[in-house]
Amino acid sequence: MIMRLLFSNVPAFGHFLPLLPLARAFRRQGHDVAVITAAGMTPLIAPEGIELLPAGPMPDVLFAEVGRKLGLNPATEPTPEAVAEFFAGVRVDLTADEALAQARSWRPDLIVSEMVDFVGPLVATSLGVPLATLAFGPSVPAEFTDALTAVVRSRYEERGLPAPERTPAGRWLLDTCPPGLQFENFAVPSGMERIALRPEPHQAPDAPSGGGTPAAGGRPRVLVSFGTVFADPAVVGPLLGALTDVDVDVLATLGLDGKPEDYQLDSDRVEFSPFVPLAQLLENADAAITHGGAGTTLGTLARGIPMVVVPQGADQFFQADRVAASGAGLALMPGQADPAAIAAALRRVLDEPTFAEAARRISAEIVAMPSPDQVAERLRAEVIY
């Protein structure tokens, strides 16, 4: 039986890419796949050959509306109130009705939503379609999930729908977090079935699995990546300057539209890269310095690469905490993360073998998790039967 799979995500690269391996797996197995998100995501989704059902605005509009209502920026001021208003309030208000119309026309058999997408669950409830929720990192603390559930409840009630009892929602929790990174008090939400799903660093379509082989000899190679949103030259530039005093070669990402000249750096040991798949960036890397985005963190550890995490906002503080707790890297929180301190942390990560050993342990846990193809087949069987 050919199924119709509808993926739903917040319109941002870091929220779509964790869904992509499973979407690709369903396509490989011959099923119809579509994504419902803002039209501004077309440049990322179109090369995949996946149908995009446009609904709602991009994050700049959502941030502006949250700022108007609360006077807060959820990206840099991730309080429970601001986070809940962004994901479960404003985004649902400006996206849900259009998304519901699109989904009703497309007629999915299963909806797969990412952890903080509240449009997909509302659509699934409205249409009576089974829902799976993909968690792309460690569990979210209750102070946030409680706030998210409280805000979205009113949006369900406005539409005459049974309100969710908790966040996440759905029948299945697709858990991409390896045991060594998870919080000790993690529990699967009542009524959900946990299915482990192996995370992967973002790869180009049809790219072979597996990382690169570290080059023999020479200086260690370090990836510096602050993602597509937080690659601010005012933050990253001074860091790159400090790293020129460390005996390493650096590959630094430019975000979505940055340019090398933005960083005012002249060094033959720093190479800049535009946006390319993370798997390509990690080839030959000995360590990474990152903001701690969930996809970057899991993708880097999937390759067994230790890291220094310098969180800038959003959920990055959760990832930073878990990386440090696992021993796979060091975390420098605001107030600690001046360029010299980050450079010193990198030296420790490179010089002390326990960090690489812990990263390899996490990598082994990830390898042991079910592949996207295995999870796709299991979901197909459970939906059909």
Side-chain angles (χ1 to χ4, degrees):
M1 170 185 171
I2 295 177
M3 289 178 55
R4 294 174 68 78
L5 286 303
L6 180 59
F7 288 77
S8 178
N9 65 276
V10 173
F13 279 45
H15 291 259
F16 171 68
L17 294 179
L19 295 168
L20 185 53
L22 186 60
R24 287 172 170 172
F26 275 114
R27 291 197 72 210
R28 282 193 296 269
Q29 295 176 15
H31 301 294
D32 297 328
V33 175
V35 176
I36 193 161
T37 193
M41 293 290 289
T42 299
L44 180 62
I45 297 173
E48 296 290 332
I50 295 174
E51 183 178 0
L52 189 150
L53 308 181
M58 289 292 283
D60 58 337
V61 175
L62 305 178
F63 283 127
E65 182 63 10
V66 175
R68 185 188 68 79
K69 294 180 72 172
L70 300 181
L72 296 172
N73 183 341
T76 57
E77 303 168 281
T79 66
E81 179 189 20
V83 168
E85 184 58 43
F86 180 87
F87 291 111
V90 164
R91 180 162 182 264
V92 173
D93 294 339
L94 300 183
T95 305
D97 293 340
E98 189 176 3
L100 180 57
Q102 291 274 27
R104 183 175 283 117
S105 175
W106 200 77
R107 298 167 57 188
D109 298 303
L110 172 66
I111 293 176
V112 181
S113 175
E114 46 94 354
M115 187 73 176
V116 289
D117 168 54
F118 289 86
V119 171
L122 188 147
V123 169
T125 300
S126 299
L127 301 182
V129 174
L131 172 71
T133 297
L134 187 145
F136 45 69
S139 60
V140 178
E143 63 182 308
F144 287 90
T145 57
D146 290 348
L148 289 160
T149 302
V151 170
V152 82
R153 183 176 293 124
S154 65
R155 274 58 179 182
Y156 277 68
E157 292 170 348
E158 289 169 359
R159 294 165 173 80
L161 299 172
E165 297 180 0
R166 39 87 183 133
T167 296
R171 178 176 166 186
W172 301 278
L173 177 67
L174 308 180
D175 187 5
T176 61
C177 187
L181 280 187
Q182 189 56 271
F183 288 102
E184 291 183 1
N185 62 353
F186 168 71
V188 178
S190 175
M192 297 190 81
E193 176 185 358
R194 177 184 178 271
I195 299 177
L197 170 62
R198 184 189 306 159
E200 300 176 354
H202 176 219
Q203 303 179 64
D206 302 318
S209 298
T213 302
R219 290 183 290 262
R221 186 168 175 83
V222 177
L223 171 66
V224 176
S225 178
F226 279 59
T228 56
V229 175
F230 292 91
D232 182 356
V235 174
V236 180
L239 167 59
L240 296 178
L243 293 180
T244 61
D245 294 328
V246 184
D247 191 26
V248 295
D249 289 324
V250 174
L251 175 64
T253 63
L254 293 168
L256 285 181
D257 53 9
K259 298 177 287 295
E261 52 266 32
D262 296 338
Y263 295 84
Q264 300 180 356
L265 185 73
D266 182 17
S267 173
D268 59 3
R269 288 197 275 125
V270 177
E271 174 188 355
F272 288 98
S273 172
F275 176 80
V276 297
L278 179 61
Q280 181 177 331
L281 297 170
L282 291 172
E283 291 180 358
N284 303 326
D286 296 285
I289 300 174
T290 173
H291 62 314
T296 302
T297 300
L298 287 177
T300 301
L301 292 176
R303 294 291 190 256
I305 297 170
M307 62 180 64
V308 177
V309 185
V310 187
Q312 302 296 297
D315 63 338
Q316 296 154 23
F317 299 96
F318 306 151
Q319 270 73 247
D321 174 88
R322 302 320 300 156
V323 168
S326 74
L330 293 171
L332 280 75
M333 298 299 177
Q336 305 172 324
D338 63 86
I342 300 171
L346 174 66
R347 289 189 181 95
R348 281 194 60 194
V349 165
L350 290 171
D351 293 343
E352 299 177 23
T354 56
F355 294 107
E357 291 167 0
R360 288 193 292 269
R361 286 197 301 271
I362 299 295
S363 176
E365 291 180 351
I366 291 173
V367 169
M369 298 167 74
S371 70
D373 285 284
Q374 290 171 318
V375 172
E377 178 57 33
R378 176 171 172 180
L379 286 172
R380 182 200 68 83
E382 295 202 17
V383 169
I384 292 175
Y385 298 108

CSV table of all heavy atoms in Angstrom, one decimal, residues 146 163 336 364:
chain,number,residue,atom,x,y,z
A,146,ASP,N,4.8,22.8,29.7
A,146,ASP,CA,3.5,23.2,30.4
A,146,ASP,C,3.0,24.5,29.8
A,146,ASP,O,1.8,24.7,29.5
A,146,ASP,CB,3.7,23.4,31.9
A,146,ASP,CG,3.9,22.1,32.6
A,146,ASP,OD1,3.7,21.0,32.0
A,146,ASP,OD2,4.3,22.1,33.8
A,163,ALA,N,-8.7,19.6,23.3
A,163,ALA,CA,-7.4,20.2,23.6
A,163,ALA,C,-6.4,19.2,24.0
A,163,ALA,O,-6.8,18.2,24.7
A,163,ALA,CB,-7.5,21.3,24.7
A,336,GLN,N,30.8,33.6,30.4
A,336,GLN,CA,32.1,32.8,30.4
A,336,GLN,C,32.7,32.7,29.0
A,336,GLN,O,33.9,32.4,28.9
A,336,GLN,CB,31.8,31.4,30.8
A,336,GLN,CG,31.0,31.2,32.1
A,336,GLN,CD,30.6,29.8,32.3
A,336,GLN,OE1,30.3,29.0,31.4
A,336,GLN,NE2,30.7,29.3,33.6
A,364,ALA,N,28.6,5.6,19.1
A,364,ALA,CA,28.3,4.2,19.0
A,364,ALA,C,26.8,4.0,19.4
A,364,ALA,O,26.1,3.1,18.9
A,364,ALA,CB,29.2,3.4,20.0
